[in-house]
Amino acid sequence: MFAVLKTGGKQYKVQAGDVLRVEKLAADAGETVQFNEILMVGSTVGAPTVEGAGVQAEVIDQIKGEKVIHFVKRRRKHSSKRTKGHRQQLTLLRVTDILEKGADKSGVKAAIGAGSVSGAAVAAAAKPAKKAPAKKAAPKKAAKAEAPAGADDLKKLSGVGPALEKKLLEAGITTFAQIAAWGEADIAEFDEKLSFKGRIEREGWVEQAKELANG
């Protein structure tokens, strides 16, 4: 039996025993993780995902991909250009099991992309939302996305105001360290998901975040 899973913005067709490389996951070698975003299992097609399905895999190692040369040229009055090399961080996995149902009750750690979501945000998402007391009326205005305890002031990044900070917080980005760890794939993913229209690279957020994270 085969399954089609989605992780890191890519789709993979797998079956038990397959070894594959995916974008880096927050897991150590020897750990078992479970992919819950399953688009297809055997002849069952999801809408968009198959409810209760999952793919479990053992982490073999954390590796790096082949070196990619990245060239950037800005056509302005004071033009600039730069060339840099990049090796994407990857996780090497071996698929151990494909679950058609019951994955939500397996108790296996979910496969989470490294640096994309903070541990605090994952823990908060796992807790059931508290219902508002029946006697109190619902607030008329939507509640602001408040930064959790220990979060950095993301407005220190060039071009980030309250609106962009809210988008980052809602995506689970709360610290400069998370942004500093972004690779090319992470930048492309967040640029598209949050509609930043090239702002991340244009403003140099990753470089700024590294400086701010180091104090």
Side-chain angles (χ1 to χ4, degrees), residues 51-63:
E51 185 176 355
V55 172
Q56 296 180 358
E58 179 187 359
V59 178
I60 300 174
D61 199 5
Q62 299 288 4
I63 61 175

Side-chain angles (χ1 to χ4, degrees), residues 11 19 23 42 51 58 68 96 105 122 127 168 179 185-186:
Q11 298 178 13
V19 175
E23 290 190 22
E51 185 176 355
E58 179 187 359
V68 177
T96 57
K105 300 177 181 178
V122 173
K127 295 180 180 178
L168 290 167
I179 298 175
D186 299 310

Side-chain angles (χ1 to χ4, degrees), residues 84-98:
K84 63 179 181 179
H86 170 71
R87 295 184 65 189
Q88 180 66 42
Q89 293 185 330
L90 304 169
T91 298
L92 189 64
L93 302 166
R94 178 180 290 107
V95 177
T96 57
D97 201 5
I98 295 176

Side-chain angles (χ1 to χ4, degrees), residues 1 15-16 19 23 28 31 42 46-48 55-56 58 80 84 97 133 138 145 147-148 171 189 197 208 212-214:
M1 181 171 61
Q15 57 186 7
V19 175
E23 290 190 22
D28 298 322
E31 279 192 275
V55 172
Q56 296 180 358
E58 179 187 359
S80 64
K84 63 179 181 179
D97 201 5
E189 178 183 351
K197 300 179 180 179
Q208 291 181 48
L212 291 166
N214 293 328

